[in-house]
Amino acid sequence: MSTLSDKAAIAGIGATDFSKDSGRSELRLAAEAVKAALDDAGLTPDDVDGLVTFTMDTNIEIAVARALDIPELKFFSRIHYGGGAAAATVQQAAMAVATGVADVVVAYRAFNERSGMRFGQVNTALVDQVNASGVDYSFSYPHGMGTPAGTVAMMARRYMHETGATSEDFGRIAVADRAHAANNPNAFFYGKPITLEDHQASRMIADPLHLLDCCQESDGGVAIVITSPERAKDLKQRPVRILAAAQGSARDQYTMMSYYRQELAAIPEMGLVGDQLWEQSGLRAQDMDMAVLYDHFTPYVLMQLEDLGFCPRGEAKDFVREPGALEVGGRLPINTHGGQLGEAYVHGMNGITEGVRQLRGQSYNQVDGAERLLVTAGTGVPTSGLVLGV
């Protein structure tokens, strides 16, 4: 099997501040993040010849190039499906580098998701799209499934029914994330850990999801520089190897509302991503020193533990009940930046940068001896993932 393993490396990462009101345009946030990532790598805009982002990003590649005076682009690409695109932007960049299409590619995502269009609210524009996505959404919106929390609640309730997982098990994800965010000065919830009692007392958003089961709405931007391993080793930072990169869409796939499958309480597309990652890298879930698991809603973290092979089907509840299992020093530290629940919701891109920091030894919640880790992208949608190493 031909793979991308060790054909490209992450050489730089950058981000803006994370807030609820950035006071800047989304284009400025994108430009700031890209410039910060290039500075981190010891490169300049003149070195860049490729840009990758999300279809949902309002900042088209040529606008970012103009803002930063990037002279020429040999490669530009966009990935669909919201947060499911996060790791795939790095995959696309790695493919361009590995095939010689481009030399230095920057993946970016920037938005004013709190002060601008709030993704957590009802968005009728999704139904009004004159395309197949609009048709898909039109099946569910008339029944009140108009918010991400509402769509996930259906999956979460079925998962609880089939596995015996409880709301407190979901809460353990939030508690672990917020414990890590409390140590991260860049996190919105820096210095603000929570208890399981806090989680249970938070208001209900869409039964069984409490407020503290739901990720933030954030303003901010993140960027990642990808180049060849040969060039990366001569740059400013310790290179992070891309050991595997994959995308996945499963049978009867919808965007957030895959309710027509035989098995409702699972994420088969993430299982598909995992299978590819393990095959490409020659590793397994048990070889990971930690994981950054996409946590826009806590129930999906439990499902990922199962679909990626960290534990058997139905046993994630037991996995997370082990005291401290998900925190630094535990069985599988997750989301050591605080995740999207604790640091910021930037469609998973900040999870990739945390993976890079861990492998450089620069995390605020450093996992001792971290040498290889998993990063996943959005759940409930066609998705993607990475295995990174040193």
Side-chain angles (χ1 to χ4, degrees):
M1 177 182 180
S2 178
T3 77
L4 287 176
S5 186
D6 269 333
K7 302 291 178 58
I10 296 175
I13 54 174
T16 67
D17 58 304
F18 303 131
S19 71
K20 302 301 180 187
D21 188 357
S22 72
R24 288 105 86 194
S25 70
E26 293 184 333
L27 178 57
R28 179 169 173 176
L29 292 173
E32 286 182 15
V34 173
K35 182 63 165 61
L38 292 172
D39 290 346
D40 182 63
L43 294 168
T44 71
D46 285 345
D47 295 303
V48 177
D49 56 1
L51 291 171
V52 184
T53 188
F54 294 46
T55 56
M56 292 183 73
D57 204 289
T58 61
N59 306 295
I60 61 175
E61 302 93 323
I62 56 175
V64 173
R66 290 196 306 268
L68 290 167
D69 198 25
I70 295 171
E72 297 177 334
L73 292 176
K74 298 177 182 175
F75 177 74
F76 34 90
S77 180
R78 290 182 161 227
I79 316 296
H80 199 35
Y81 305 117
T89 63
V90 175
Q91 181 198 40
Q92 287 277 304
M95 290 167 64
V97 168
T99 56
V101 171
D103 185 39
V104 174
V105 183
V106 184
Y108 65 89
R109 178 76 171 110
F111 52 37
N112 285 320
E113 195 215 17
R114 175 69 183 198
S115 63
M117 188 191 78
R118 297 179 59 182
F119 287 8
Q121 305 297 304
V122 173
N123 180 9
T124 56
L126 294 174
V127 183
D128 292 337
Q129 298 175 88
V130 186
N131 54 33
S133 292
V135 174
D136 284 356
Y137 279 110
S138 71
F139 287 136
S140 300
Y141 263 55
H143 301 285
M145 294 295 173
T147 66
T151 62
V152 174
M154 291 272 285
M155 307 280 283
R157 180 56 71 187
R158 184 65 187 179
Y159 179 79
M160 295 167 79
H161 172 75
E162 291 188 5
T163 68
T166 68
S167 173
E168 288 190 351
D169 295 325
F170 301 156
R172 290 181 173 91
I173 306 302
V175 170
D177 276 13
R178 289 287 293 272
H180 294 145
N183 295 328
N184 176 5
N186 297 316
F188 187 78
F189 285 119
Y190 175 53
K192 296 179 179 179
I194 59 170
T195 65
L196 195 54
E197 291 72 25
D198 293 330
H199 171 271
Q200 291 292 285
S202 64
R203 73 179 186 270
M204 194 67 73
I205 300 299
D207 189 8
L209 300 181
H210 290 265
L211 175 66
L212 294 179
D213 287 309
C214 307
C215 71
Q216 302 181 69
E217 293 171 313
S218 307
D219 287 10
V222 174
I224 302 160
V225 178
I226 297 93
T227 189
S228 68
E230 295 74 25
R231 183 164 188 179
K233 70 182 180 182
D234 294 327
L235 296 177
K236 186 176 175 181
Q237 301 287 352
R238 181 185 191 183
V240 168
R241 299 161 62 201
I242 300 171
L243 301 180
Q247 290 179 268
S249 172
R251 185 186 297 273
D252 289 331
Q253 180 84 61
Y254 283 76
T255 302
M256 295 300 293
M257 290 165 284
S258 297
Y259 298 148
Y260 310 101
R261 298 168 170 169
Q262 279 297 114
E263 188 174 31
L264 182 61
I267 318 172
E269 54 274 11
M270 189 60 78
L272 174 60
V273 166
D275 289 345
Q276 295 174 81
L277 294 178
W278 307 140
E279 183 175 0
Q280 287 182 34
S281 66
L283 300 169
R284 290 293 179 267
Q286 289 68 32
D287 297 318
M288 298 297 102
D289 295 315
M290 60 160 291
V292 180
L293 301 180
Y294 199 91
D295 59 338
H296 58 338
F297 296 99
T298 58
Y300 275 135
V301 176
L302 274 72
M303 296 182 203
Q304 287 180 80
L305 289 170
E306 297 171 1
D307 286 310
L308 291 163
F310 288 99
C311 59
R313 174 73 177 146
E315 294 185 16
K317 64 183 186 302
D318 307 301
F319 192 103
V320 304
R321 287 173 187 173
E322 180 182 317
L326 305 179
E327 297 183 25
V328 174
R331 181 178 178 184
L332 180 71
I334 67 165
N335 304 341
T336 48
H337 55 319
Q340 298 176 112
L341 296 165
E343 185 184 57
Y345 179 72
V346 195
H347 261 158
M349 295 293 276
N350 51 323
I352 302 173
T353 58
E354 174 62 10
V356 173
R357 285 190 294 267
Q358 282 285 350
L359 295 171
R360 291 179 179 176
Q362 298 172 344
S363 174
Y364 289 107
N365 295 288
Q366 187 62 44
V367 174
D368 289 341
E371 295 184 346
R372 48 204 179 188
L373 56 86
L374 170 73
V375 183
T376 63
T379 44
V381 294
T383 190
S384 54
L386 299 168
V387 175
L388 304 178
V390 291

